[in-house]
Amino acid sequence: AMVMSYQGTSEVEAVGHTVEVLQGMGTTVPRGLPPRPPERLLAGPRVTDSASRFGFANPVLRWEAAAGAVSYTVEACGDAECARLVSRATGITATSWRAEGLSKGSYLWRVAAVSASGLDGYASRPRSLELTSDQPDLEPPVVFLAIEGQGAAESDNRVVLGPRAA
């Protein structure tokens, strides 16, 4: 079992041992063993995306790495307190997540860092997410290169430009 105390304090008892879990702390209780000593919950990651409106249904959401995190949990919700959970992804080891399975609409999303012991840290401040289409973006971008003047494309994906070339 895991107990995280985001507000207030708690007591956890197992196999005759009790630990107090103060605000901002958490503990794990292995089956048949006493509760482990409480540890500090990780801070909410800082979201780096500024975009909140997307014309497709599978945007990539990004955040900064949180110190001590081994993975992240991302939630898309219908309200700021996340009482109306719409989507939840766990075990994310990168600092980004592609939203999948969301339909056209307005949501809030947040991300929480997970510690090595498995405790969920504090969630980031909820951010708005508006999807104006039910269609996912599945086509990669296409890039064209035009050389003005002398230049050549090399076999190792380099382009070499001659004098005064652009």
Side-chain angles (χ1 to χ4, degrees):
M2 290 184 270
V3 174
M4 285 84 60
S5 183
Y6 300 103
Q7 294 180 348
T9 62
S10 303
E11 280 191 352
V12 177
E13 182 180 347
V15 296
H17 293 82
T18 303
V19 296
E20 184 178 24
V21 183
L22 301 175
Q23 180 172 324
M25 305 288 281
T27 184
T28 57
V29 185
R31 183 180 303 275
L33 296 174
R36 293 204 169 123
E39 63 184 78
R40 184 163 305 284
L41 298 176
L42 299 177
R46 185 169 131 0
V47 173
T48 56
D49 272 339
S50 59
S52 62
R53 184 180 167 108
F54 299 91
F56 47 92
N58 61 341
V60 175
L61 307 175
R62 293 180 174 82
W63 57 90
E64 289 182 1
V70 296
S71 68
Y72 299 91
T73 297
V74 178
E75 296 174 325
C77 310
D79 62 301
E81 291 76 32
C82 213
R84 294 191 333 258
L85 184 64
V86 176
S87 177
R88 187 169 199 263
T90 60
I92 300 166
T93 57
T95 55
S96 65
W97 173 69
R98 182 174 294 282
E100 303 278 353
L102 296 176
S103 57
K104 180 179 175 180
S106 295
Y107 305 94
L108 291 164
W109 73 279
R110 64 187 187 179
V111 58
V114 179
S115 69
S117 63
L119 296 174
D120 291 328
Y122 285 94
S124 65
R125 186 174 55 83
R127 303 281 245 176
S128 64
L129 173 63
E130 185 177 354
L131 305 179
T132 61
S133 172
D134 285 326
Q135 299 301 312
D137 180 13
L138 302 175
E139 295 296 322
V142 177
V143 177
F144 293 95
L145 176 66
I147 299 173
E148 293 183 16
Q150 293 182 354
E154 301 286 328
S155 61
D156 61 353
N157 293 326
R158 292 184 318 149
V159 174
V160 178
L161 298 177
R164 293 181 298 284

